[in-house]
């Protein structure tokens, strides 16, 4: 617990006997001069919260025994020079919050066991060198907030099991190289704010289930190539506040048909007094809208909606 925290001038670490240690909380936090780490005995360890946080000069990590570990919160956060990561045993892990945040040199990630994981808050935030991601088991995950935020080199994303997910806020914010997105299960998701913000290479979007969703603030903000958006996505949602769609589609490239799909679906939804952003970028201007889109727009305005749009 905090034993060698902030020993920033340590350049190496000995192979100590740690066989009985259960708590490795912040043990090597901030040991920023370590370039390697020994294969110590961590078999009894349950708490790995921020254990190697800020060990920014590590380029690799040994296959330590983490089979008993339950919390890995921030364990390797800001280990920005790690170029690879081992297939450690994380089967008992439930908390993966910020675990690899800022590991900006990782180019790939192993298929670790995350079946028990419930929180993936910012787990891979700013792992900006990842080009792909494995189909890990996220079936128990409820929090995906910022999980892959700023993973700007991801060119594809797997069909993960996100059926239990509630919070997807900022989950793929800044994944600017994704050209497509899978049909993941968002049926339980309530918070979709900023979820795909600045995913500037997406050209179309899948028919995700937003039946429980209450917030789409800037969800597709600056998806500058997003032209195709499916119909009926907002027919049923959770209760929407006045800012639920604030700047939701700002600076996209929506076609007139896609704008019709969005507006007519919101009419079907039936809620009132909400702000919707359809302006900016190359979104189809109002003069090019279909008759159905114009009718839907006028209906929403009559219900107290405020809708910004291109001319």
């Amino acid at each position: 617990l905090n034993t060698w925290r902030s020993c920033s001038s340590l350049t190496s670490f000995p192979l100590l006997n740690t066989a009985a240690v259960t708590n490795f909380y912040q043990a090597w936090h901030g040991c920023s001069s370590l370039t390697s780490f020994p294969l110590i005995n961590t078999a009894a360890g349950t708490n790995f919260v921020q254990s190697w946080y800020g060990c920014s000069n590590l380029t690799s990590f040994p296959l330590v025994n983490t089979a008993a570990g339950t919390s890995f919160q921030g364990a390797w956060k800001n280990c920005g020079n790690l170029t690879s990561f081992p297939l450690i045993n994380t089967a008992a892990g439930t908390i993966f919050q910020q675990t690899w945040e800022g590991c900006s040199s990782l180019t790939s990630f192993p298929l670790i066991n995350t079946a028990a994981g419930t929180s993936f808050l910012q787990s891979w935030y700013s792992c900006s060198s990842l080009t792909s991601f494995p189909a890990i088991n996220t079936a128990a995950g409820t929090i995906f907030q910022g999980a892959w935020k700023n993973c700007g080199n991801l060119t594809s994303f797997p069909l993960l099991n996100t059926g239990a997910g509630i919070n997807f806020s900022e989950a793929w914010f800044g994944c600017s190289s994704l050209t497509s997105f899978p049909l993941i299960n968002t049926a339980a998701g309530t918070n979709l704010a900023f979820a795909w913000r600045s995913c500037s290479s997406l050209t179309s979007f899948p028919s995700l289930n937003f039946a429980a969703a209450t917030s789409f603030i800037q969800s597709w903000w600056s998806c500058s190539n997003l032209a195709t958006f499916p119909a009926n996505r907002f027919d049923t949602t959770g209760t929407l506040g006045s800012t639920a769609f604030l700047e939701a589609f700002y600076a996209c490239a929506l076609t007139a048909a896609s704008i019709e799909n969005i507006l007519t679906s919101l009419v079907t939804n039936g809620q009132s007094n909400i702000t919707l952003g359809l302006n900016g970028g190359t979104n189809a201007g109002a003069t090019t809208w279909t008759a159905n889109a114009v009718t839907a727009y006028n209906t929403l305005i009559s219900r107290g909606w405020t809708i910004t749009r291109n001319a």
Side-chain angles (χ1 to χ4, degrees), residues 214-218 240-247 273-276:
T214 59
S215 179
F216 298 94
I217 296 172
Q218 295 189 3
L240 302 173
S242 61
T243 61
F245 281 90
L246 184 67
E247 297 185 321
N273 303 315
I274 298 165
T275 298
L276 168 66

Side-chain angles (χ1 to χ4, degrees), residues 132-168:
S132 62
F133 196 79
I136 60 174
N137 187 340
T138 54
T142 58
I143 300 172
F144 294 95
Q145 182 178 343
W148 298 276
K149 183 177 179 180
N150 290 343
C151 289
N153 276 305
L154 278 182
T155 56
S156 62
F157 196 80
L159 184 62
L160 301 182
N161 184 340
T162 53
I166 297 171
N167 189 343
F168 294 94

Side-chain angles (χ1 to χ4, degrees), residues 4-7 24-34 48-58 61 72-80 82 97-103 122:
W4 299 277
R5 176 173 175 165
S6 300
C7 291
F24 290 93
Y25 176 79
Q26 294 187 343
W28 299 275
H29 184 305
C31 291
S32 55
S33 294
L34 287 179
F48 293 95
V49 172
Q50 299 184 358
S51 298
W52 298 275
Y53 182 145
C55 290
S56 54
N57 275 302
L58 288 179
F61 196 78
F72 294 91
Q73 180 178 337
W76 297 275
K77 181 177 177 178
N78 291 344
C79 289
L82 280 182
Q97 181 173 321
Q98 300 179 325
T99 305
W100 299 275
E101 179 180 332
C103 289
Q122 298 181 353

Side-chain angles (χ1 to χ4, degrees), residues 235-259:
D235 288 6
T236 302
T237 64
T239 301
L240 302 173
S242 61
T243 61
F245 281 90
L246 184 67
E247 297 185 321
F249 296 98
Y250 175 78
C252 293
L254 296 173
T255 64
S258 292
I259 288 177

Side-chain angles (χ1 to χ4, degrees), residues 183-216:
L183 191 65
I184 62 171
N185 187 341
T186 52
T190 58
N191 191 349
L192 282 303
F194 313 100
W196 298 276
R197 175 174 162 157
S198 299
C199 288
S200 54
S201 294
L202 288 180
T203 57
S204 62
F205 199 77
S207 296
L208 299 187
N209 185 336
F210 297 136
T214 59
S215 179
F216 298 94

